[in-house]
Amino acid sequence: MTDLRALDLNLLVILQHLLQERSISAVARRLDLSQPAVSNALRRLRTAFGDELFVRTGQGMQPTPRAERMAGPVSEALDLLSHMVDESDEAFDPAHSTRRFRIAMTDVGEIHFMPSLMEACARVAPEVRIDSLRLQGADLQRELDAGRVDLAVGAFAELAGGVVQRMLFRQGYATLFRAGHPSARAGMSLKAFRAERHLVVSRAAPYGQVNQSLERAGVRLEAHFSVPHFAAVPYIVSTTDLLATVPQKLAASAAPHFGLQILTPPIRVPALQTNLYWHRRFQRDGGNQWLRGLIVETFADRV
């Protein structure tokens, strides 16, 4: 295709949805069209671009390399056009909005961020809703690129092209133990710390440096109990004599609710930086700007 005038821009909307759904029937339902209408649009797209664009496989309609290369530019072009014709994006009104935002975060992030965000929404944006979801690496990059995730909060160093970030805070680690523990105490030596039984979070990414530090200090991880995520840690520590070393903000949040004590672990663990991430395509989106501002105001360290 050499002449943009030959292309119906409505076809790009269908192309964008096909890239997201990988299914003609799903796109038809989403756009309230018939399946033959979507199939005809795909035929016209194939003719216009001189490429199959999508090939039917056992896993659904899979995009060709040409279609995958078009995903970002098409999404960005449609977003710019949407901003041009819809002034409401720049005049986001949280008090009356019914928008649903999606934020990628870890289980630790949910514990720290979600209660305050829910409280803030109830106060200033009663009809706004927030969904948290677990995504990392290439999956998170793809969802941010496509606009299916509005923001990410955490330590996602692997995010790259098109993603903007702002630091929220830095934190260290703390060790939790139950009140009445027979031997754990603040100021305990490294030797005593090593001799205790520990609860290890085996899927600690992006907090994996704590496990590396434990091993360097002589705590053999395979000799201790483990859970895949942080969410269960306070429940287990409160009813056992296990020690668990977790991010400081999680420790501070969990300790009063579970009757736990906190000590500074006698090991060196690099501080963890938590950032706010969004795609530059939504830099000027009114709703995205509002939610970013709310998160910064509520959680960012004051400097």
Side-chain angles (χ1 to χ4, degrees):
M1 186 191 70
T2 58
D3 190 348
L4 186 60
R5 291 174 297 178
L7 179 66
D8 180 352
L9 294 182
N10 288 316
L11 296 177
L12 295 182
V13 176
I14 292 178
L15 175 60
Q16 182 186 44
H17 286 288
L18 282 169
L19 286 163
Q20 294 172 0
E21 301 289 349
R22 312 290 174 90
S23 165
I24 287 176
S25 59
V27 172
R29 289 193 300 271
R30 189 167 177 179
L31 298 179
D32 196 23
L33 297 171
S34 68
Q35 290 191 37
V38 177
S39 296
N40 182 57
L42 178 56
R43 179 185 57 78
R44 293 170 62 193
L45 283 163
R46 285 167 168 165
T47 300
F49 289 101
D51 188 88
E52 280 292 293
L53 297 179
F54 293 89
V55 177
R56 192 177 301 277
T57 72
Q59 288 73 46
M61 301 286 287
Q62 295 302 311
T64 65
R66 174 77 182 276
E68 288 184 328
R69 289 195 300 271
M70 293 169 60
V74 166
S75 184
E76 188 165 355
L78 291 175
D79 182 62
L80 289 172
L81 288 170
S82 177
H83 278 293
M84 182 180 69
V85 301
D86 185 5
E87 294 181 357
S88 65
D89 279 349
E90 300 300 326
F92 180 79
D93 181 5
H96 298 96
S97 175
T98 58
R99 184 163 168 179
R100 181 175 290 272
F101 294 94
R102 304 181 80 211
I103 306 179
M105 61 181 75
T106 64
D107 60 329
V108 175
E110 286 177 341
I111 293 169
H112 181 65
F113 290 104
M114 288 300 284
S116 296
L117 283 178
M118 291 175 179
E119 181 182 355
C121 284
R123 186 174 65 253
V124 302
E127 297 302 318
V128 164
R129 295 294 179 263
I130 296 176
D131 298 330
S132 68
L133 62 156
R134 303 276 198 280
L135 286 169
Q136 292 185 39
D139 291 336
L140 177 54
Q141 180 79 52
R142 182 174 60 251
E143 296 300 287
L144 283 167
D145 289 345
R148 292 189 291 268
V149 167
D150 298 286
L151 300 171
V153 287
F156 302 109
E158 68 276 13
L159 293 177
V163 176
V164 184
Q165 63 178 280
R166 184 208 193 276
M167 189 187 82
L168 292 176
F169 52 79
R170 290 171 62 83
Q171 63 176 315
Y173 289 80
T175 298
L176 292 170
F177 61 99
R178 71 173 180 86
H181 192 288
S183 52
R185 58 180 177 78
M188 67 190 303
S189 68
L190 176 57
K191 180 179 180 181
F193 183 81
R194 275 199 305 254
E196 294 293 338
R197 295 188 303 155
H198 293 263
L199 179 62
V200 176
V201 180
S202 59
R203 298 179 185 174
Y207 310 98
Q209 63 263 45
V210 67
N211 290 345
Q212 297 169 10
S213 296
L214 286 168
E215 287 190 312
R216 283 195 298 267
V219 177
R220 293 174 49 247
L221 301 186
E222 68 274 10
H224 296 275
F225 294 93
S226 72
V227 291
H229 305 292
F230 284 101
V233 166
Y235 294 90
I236 297 170
V237 172
S238 66
T239 57
T240 67
D241 286 336
L242 299 175
L243 273 57
T245 302
V246 302
Q248 280 180 338
K249 291 184 181 295
L250 172 61
S253 175
H257 293 289
F258 291 87
L260 301 175
Q261 302 295 309
I262 298 175
L263 64 86
T264 300
I267 60 175
R268 298 184 62 179
V269 188
L272 176 70
Q273 180 169 309
T274 296
N275 298 325
L276 173 64
Y277 304 84
W278 65 96
H279 200 283
R280 65 182 176 84
R281 292 196 298 112
F282 300 97
Q283 177 76 16
R284 297 180 60 83
D285 176 82
N288 197 289
Q289 287 181 324
W290 170 78
L291 185 54
R292 294 192 322 252
L294 179 65
I295 290 173
V296 169
E297 176 65 25
T298 306
F299 300 103
D301 284 343
R302 301 293 181 260
V303 294

